């Protein structure tokens, strides 16, 4: 089953709704640029998105333990907006999002996993720093982390300290999908329905994830939602 058919098993969106989502994404990225005083980037985001002015992010190698770079984040958001308007594939958009999380935010590993049409399994769609893994059951008799995140529809930041109090949710197969210390996870929703999850951690260095990094991570998760919406249209 192709990605488009899989998403359409979850929901249906009119082209006008998708267009509205994309336009809102461009406006939101521009607001972030203005908030940080990056006026040049803001003007580019609100322009005609001239392809000649785009940053070729995909050609850059993914850095390990990159430092947070606001300019890279904004450049990624700019290119994502352009790619959405030009009908890029979901894999292409996911590559930009994962690069934004690693190169722009500075987190070390990240992946996106798509929920199966029967909403029972997560299947890794694309990951950076992860090997391919077998599907994860998110509807077991014993609740697990991803089942809770999908059902609640809420993003979660788990620190090395707080994970001790939720160890029962991290046992079994879930342990293969998460780092050894802190991590962040976001349910990705379209039209109010969770279609997958975005995950990231600093498993190599074991460094703590800041609130600023968590905020940036959630914003990139919104771009995945836009890609899913476009793929379903």
């Amino acid at each position: 089953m192709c990605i488009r058919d899989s998403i359409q098993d979850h929901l249906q969106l009119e082209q006008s709704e998708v267009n509205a989502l994309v336009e809102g994404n461009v406006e939101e990225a521009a607001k972030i640029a203005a908030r940080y005083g990056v006026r040049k980037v803001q003007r580019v985001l609100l322009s005609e998105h001239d392809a000649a002015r785009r940053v070729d992010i995909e050609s850059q190698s993914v850095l390990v333990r990159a430092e947070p770079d606001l300019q890279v984040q904004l450049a990624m958001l700019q290119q994502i907006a352009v790619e959405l308007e030009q009908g890029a594939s979901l894999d292409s958009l996911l590559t930009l999002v994962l690069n934004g999380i690693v190169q722009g935010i500075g987190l070390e590993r990240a992946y996106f996993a798509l929920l199966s049409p029967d909403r029972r399994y997560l299947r890794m769609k694309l990951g950076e720093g992860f090997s391919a893994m077998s599907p994860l059951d998110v509807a077991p008799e014993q609740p697990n982390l991803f089942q809770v995140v999908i059902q609640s529809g809420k993003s979660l930041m788990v620190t090395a300290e707080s994970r001790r109090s939720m160890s029962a949710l991290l046992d079994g197969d879930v342990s293969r999908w998460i780092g050894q210390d802190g991590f962040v996870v976001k349910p990705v929703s379209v039209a109010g329905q969770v279609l997958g999850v975005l995950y990231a951690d600093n498993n190599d260095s074991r460094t703590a994830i800041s609130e600023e990094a968590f905020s940036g991570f959630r914003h990139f998760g919104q771009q995945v939602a836009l890609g899913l919406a476009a793929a379903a249209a």
Side-chain angles (χ1 to χ4, degrees):
M1 176 181 290
C2 71
I3 184 67
R4 179 189 178 96
D5 292 339
S6 178
I7 296 169
Q8 286 183 324
D9 280 339
H10 290 286
L11 52 87
Q12 292 287 338
L13 287 177
E14 297 293 337
Q15 188 61 48
S16 60
E17 295 177 283
V18 175
N19 291 340
L21 286 170
V22 172
E23 291 172 4
N25 175 64
V26 176
E27 292 177 2
E28 179 63 23
K31 289 178 182 177
I32 293 176
R35 186 182 311 156
Y36 287 97
V38 190
R39 297 294 176 179
K40 180 178 180 181
V41 177
Q42 183 190 21
R43 288 194 296 272
V44 172
L45 288 168
L46 296 177
S47 72
E48 295 298 321
H49 307 302
D50 184 352
R53 300 171 69 184
R54 289 187 292 162
V55 178
D56 185 9
I57 299 299
E58 289 181 285
S59 66
Q60 300 179 14
S61 59
V62 175
L63 305 177
V64 176
R65 194 68 194 109
E67 293 301 318
D69 190 324
L70 180 60
Q71 295 287 350
V72 172
Q73 292 182 46
L74 292 171
M76 294 285 188
L77 292 172
Q78 174 200 349
Q79 188 166 350
I80 289 171
V82 173
E83 296 287 342
L84 282 167
E85 290 189 343
Q86 295 182 346
S89 69
L90 181 61
D91 280 355
S92 176
L93 291 170
L94 285 174
T95 297
L96 289 171
V97 166
L98 296 180
N99 281 352
I101 290 171
V102 174
Q103 295 180 346
I105 298 175
L107 298 178
E108 295 171 354
R109 307 190 304 171
Y111 65 75
F112 173 72
L114 189 68
L115 196 60
S116 62
D118 62 6
R119 306 186 67 79
R120 183 172 181 87
Y121 295 97
L122 279 175
R123 291 182 170 86
M124 186 179 291
K125 179 66 179 169
L126 204 63
E128 186 56 55
F130 286 86
S131 300
M133 293 185 287
S134 57
L136 176 67
D137 189 346
V138 291
E141 293 183 6
Q142 179 68 30
N144 63 36
L145 168 77
F146 292 99
Q147 180 187 54
V148 170
V149 169
I150 290 168
Q151 290 180 349
S152 69
K154 296 181 179 180
S155 300
L156 186 65
M157 180 167 71
V158 176
T159 65
E161 294 74 24
S162 65
R163 68 178 290 154
R164 299 191 186 100
S165 64
M166 55 189 302
S167 58
L169 297 175
L170 309 179
D171 291 337
D173 286 347
V174 171
S175 63
R176 298 183 297 108
W177 287 65
I178 61 176
Q180 300 180 58
D181 285 317
F183 58 85
V184 289
V185 59
K186 173 181 173 56
V188 178
S189 303
V190 178
Q193 188 170 24
V194 176
L195 298 185
V197 297
L198 186 65
Y199 171 95
D201 65 32
N202 283 333
N203 195 62
D204 295 334
S205 66
R206 304 283 185 94
T207 55
I209 299 174
S210 67
E211 287 289 347
E212 181 181 5
F214 186 35
S215 177
F217 167 80
R218 295 197 305 272
H219 187 70
F220 275 103
Q222 295 170 6
Q223 316 314 305
V224 179
L226 291 168
L228 289 172

